[in-house]
Amino acid sequence: MSDEDPSESNGVNPWPISPDFCPYKPFPSLSDLVRLDQITRFPQLNPQEMKMYQDRATVLWNLINNSKEGTEPYIYAFTELLGLSLLLWEGIKKFQKYEYGVWVRARKHEAEEKRLHELGIQRGNDYGNSMRKLEYELLDFSKELRLQVDAFQLYLPVGMNENEADRWIMETRLKYGNAIREKKASQQLLDRLAMARVNRQKAGSVLKPNELKDYESKMKKGNDGYSHAVMTLFNLRMQSEEDNMKRGTLCSGQVWFG
């Protein structure tokens, strides 16, 4: 494997692991295996992962350096290091693809900004107006509802710019709070309908056909609203958990005014 630093590459292969190995070529040699000094160059690894892989690679390289070629310890260490090398290379490819996607989205955003500027569209004003509208809607939340929204651990998806993130956070919290409100209102409606029918039955009065039709319609509305709210809350929590697993940022608490 080449000792060349990836930052000094000629553009053919800027990564610390050679992509040339494949199962159809001759079996790889020691030069194809990842070295300890190369592990710190992998940009997709966080400090904990770097330490974990370095510790593992250190043990395996010690086995190779202190074992005779062809022996069971040598073969075991070689195979494990080969697997680790391929794992890190696959991680590089995924990281490179992600970074390229971020770059492409940034270029598209720049092109769109230029187009809108040429058309004389004031995106800043539109953005400010929409953000103020979201703030007003959030202000409508009761103190109890605000506490429930604050309890929601919301993780920001990776790759958003500051404006996108600010708007997304407010929209998501608004959806979450509205879903809680819808769930509560639907449950209250179902409880009122059920209690009203029980009271009618206790009084020995049977619902007339038109009353029964109205009762069933309202029950359907309550059940549909409750199901929609529960599903919305579930999806928002699941999405936030996925963003957390993808190393998204935990959003700070909502700043409430009024």
Side-chain angles (χ1 to χ4, degrees):
M1 186 174 297
S2 172
D3 291 330
E4 180 185 7
D5 188 278
S7 63
E8 299 173 353
S9 172
N10 59 10
V12 176
N13 174 29
W15 309 112
I17 287 293
S18 170
D20 297 330
F21 166 73
C22 78
Y24 304 104
K25 293 185 178 181
F27 196 77
S29 64
L30 288 178
S31 62
D32 292 304
L33 304 181
V34 64
R35 300 192 312 271
L36 297 179
D37 64 295
Q38 292 174 322
I39 293 178
T40 58
R41 303 186 200 174
F42 286 94
Q44 82 271 25
L45 301 180
N46 60 40
Q48 292 78 17
E49 290 171 330
M50 285 184 184
K51 184 179 184 307
M52 178 182 69
Y53 288 132
Q54 275 194 314
D55 290 346
R56 179 61 175 159
T58 297
V59 173
L60 295 173
W61 272 115
N62 285 338
L63 266 177
I64 286 179
N65 293 330
N66 294 285
S67 302
K68 186 177 180 180
E69 185 174 356
T71 61
E72 185 174 343
Y74 183 97
I75 294 173
Y76 166 77
F78 186 97
T79 304
E80 289 292 311
L81 266 175
L82 177 60
L84 178 59
S85 301
L86 292 174
L87 174 67
L88 292 172
W89 167 240
E90 284 299 317
I92 276 289
K93 290 194 291 185
K94 291 179 182 178
F95 179 82
Q96 186 179 23
K97 182 178 180 181
Y98 167 76
E99 288 290 295
Y100 178 71
V102 171
W103 184 86
V104 169
R105 288 193 294 274
R107 300 294 82 73
K108 287 183 177 179
H109 180 73
E110 290 174 2
E112 181 66 6
E113 286 290 325
K114 182 179 179 181
R115 184 185 71 84
L116 292 173
H117 179 74
E118 290 173 350
L119 291 174
I121 298 176
Q122 300 297 321
R123 287 176 59 91
N125 291 340
D126 294 341
Y127 175 80
N129 291 335
S130 63
M131 290 294 285
R132 281 190 290 274
K133 181 180 178 182
L134 290 172
E135 289 175 357
Y136 291 147
E137 292 184 67
L138 285 167
L139 282 175
D140 191 43
F141 286 177
S142 65
K143 184 176 180 180
E144 177 187 3
L145 185 55
R146 293 181 183 186
L147 291 174
Q148 291 177 285
V149 171
D150 286 340
F152 176 36
Q153 284 198 317
L154 180 61
Y155 286 86
L156 183 70
V158 177
M160 285 188 175
N161 62 41
E162 185 176 351
N163 283 347
E164 290 172 337
D166 289 343
R167 182 181 181 86
W168 179 88
I169 290 171
M170 295 185 70
E171 287 178 337
T172 304
R173 284 185 170 138
L174 186 63
K175 289 178 185 177
Y176 191 82
N178 283 336
I180 293 175
R181 192 154 53 179
E182 182 183 22
K183 179 184 175 183
K184 182 178 180 181
S186 299
Q187 184 63 64
Q188 290 175 340
L189 173 61
L190 293 172
D191 291 343
R192 287 198 304 271
L193 291 170
M195 184 58 66
R197 186 163 190 181
V198 168
N199 291 336
R200 284 285 294 268
Q201 290 174 339
K202 285 181 179 180
S205 177
V206 180
L207 292 178
K208 298 177 182 178
N210 61 324
E211 291 176 325
L212 181 60
K213 184 177 181 180
D214 182 59
Y215 168 81
E216 291 174 346
S217 175
K218 290 179 178 178
M219 284 292 292
K220 183 179 184 306
K221 178 182 178 181
N223 283 319
D224 289 347
Y226 188 87
S227 298
H228 177 264
V230 169
M231 185 58 65
T232 299
L233 293 171
F234 174 78
N235 288 336
L236 289 173
R237 290 169 185 149
M238 285 296 295
Q239 184 60 54
S240 185
E241 183 61 29
E242 289 180 14
D243 293 328
N244 178 26
M245 295 175 66
K246 295 175 182 177
R247 303 177 188 173
T249 305
L250 178 62
C251 300
S252 59
Q254 175 73 42
V255 178
W256 301 100
F257 299 98

